[in-house]
Amino acid sequence: MTKKWIKAAAIRAARTVAQTMIATIGTTALISEVNWPVVLSASAMAGILSLLTSVVTGLPEVDDGEPNGKHFGEDEE
């Protein structure tokens, strides 16, 4: 894993966390009704799953010739 890959994976995971937080908060009618432990745990899990997915499938935006820079199952050149 290169520095570029780590940065791209971190950005992707942060976006996933933010989207999950917004979606989870958006399911409540009032901000005072938000179940914050559920929001935080779901968001953290989404971030972890995003990182694991990046490890397994690679990141299309980072194609530096390393195996994790390609999609899972693609042939090496």
Side-chain angles (χ1 to χ4, degrees), residues 7-73:
K7 181 178 179 182
I11 290 169
R12 185 177 281 214
R15 287 179 182 161
T16 301
V17 168
Q19 291 168 347
T20 303
M21 289 183 83
I22 291 167
T24 308
I25 292 168
T27 62
T28 60
L30 300 171
I31 197 74
S32 62
E33 296 175 2
V34 174
N35 186 338
W36 290 106
V38 170
V39 170
L40 296 175
S41 65
S43 300
M45 182 59 71
I48 291 167
L49 291 174
S50 175
L51 289 172
L52 291 174
T53 301
S54 295
V55 168
V56 172
T57 63
L59 295 172
E61 63 265 36
V62 180
D63 185 10
D64 55 6
E66 291 190 11
N68 59 10
K70 297 189 178 295
H71 291 288
F72 183 75

